Amino acid sequence: MKLLVINGPNINFLGIREKTIYGSKDYNYLCNYIKQEAEKLQVDVDIVQSNIEGEIINFIQGSYGKYDGIIINPGAYTHYSIAIYDALLSVDIDIIEVHISNIHKREEFRRKSVTAPACKGQLCGFGFYGYIMAMMALIEAVNS
């Protein structure tokens, strides 16, 4: 199984920004954690990150025919990017949306995801472990 993890804006600043919300572990830690757990689950994983909406769309479109599933943390684009929503719908791949924090316990504007309806499901509030849960969910989806 081959998965693509797409991280959106500001995820690369983990460990620097809003430590009370996202913790003190940095982006490299997150990537290494995902790769280590993917190896245990016998999953090939590629991880990409961009602060640019169009690049995220290119990652999604580029996944077509190459990956069995996508895990996406669209960051702030979650709340308003119809373009990312459309790209997610276009690839016909199982997709899980992940958020490190519980977006439903935060500011009102963060509680609405325009991208989640294009996904198989959404995980939020489980910290970095949400990415691992998403991998397990995609393994289950592909094997069912």
Side-chain angles (χ1 to χ4, degrees):
M1 172 173 231
K2 189 164 176 94
L3 301 178
L4 177 62
V5 176
I6 303 172
N7 286 305
N10 299 309
I11 305 300
N12 59 313
F13 258 47
L14 288 171
I16 298 169
R17 65 183 280 245
E18 299 176 280
K19 291 180 185 179
T20 57
I21 295 171
Y22 301 106
S24 60
K25 293 181 176 142
D26 67 14
Y27 184 66
N28 286 333
Y29 178 91
L30 172 63
C31 293
N32 289 331
Y33 175 58
I34 292 169
K35 289 174 185 174
Q36 289 170 0
E37 295 301 313
E39 190 174 314
K40 291 178 192 174
L41 294 168
Q42 299 178 330
V43 171
D44 289 326
V45 65
D46 291 324
I47 304 170
V48 294
Q49 187 277 330
S50 180
N51 295 318
I52 302 168
E53 184 177 29
E55 287 185 359
I56 293 169
I57 292 165
N58 288 341
F59 293 146
I60 294 166
Q61 291 177 351
S63 71
Y64 184 74
K66 296 178 186 172
Y67 292 93
D68 301 302
I70 296 173
I71 297 166
I72 186 167
N73 182 340
Y77 291 131
T78 300
H79 316 295
Y80 65 89
S81 181
I82 302 305
I84 290 175
Y85 166 83
D86 287 344
L88 292 170
L89 286 177
S90 73
V91 293
D92 194 30
I93 298 171
D94 285 329
I95 302 162
I96 306 287
E97 181 175 292
V98 171
H99 297 283
I100 295 165
S101 68
N102 184 345
I103 62 172
H104 303 289
K105 292 180 87 175
R106 297 192 56 198
E107 303 93 337
E108 185 65 35
F109 70 89
R110 293 188 196 277
R111 296 177 188 168
K112 171 76 172 149
S113 172
V114 300
T115 51
C119 300
K120 187 167 196 66
Q122 180 193 70
L123 291 161
C124 64
F126 295 98
F128 290 1
Y129 187 64
Y131 289 87
I132 311 316
M133 294 169 70
M135 278 194 285
M136 292 187 290
L138 288 170
I139 291 167
E140 181 65 28
V142 167
N143 291 331
S144 353

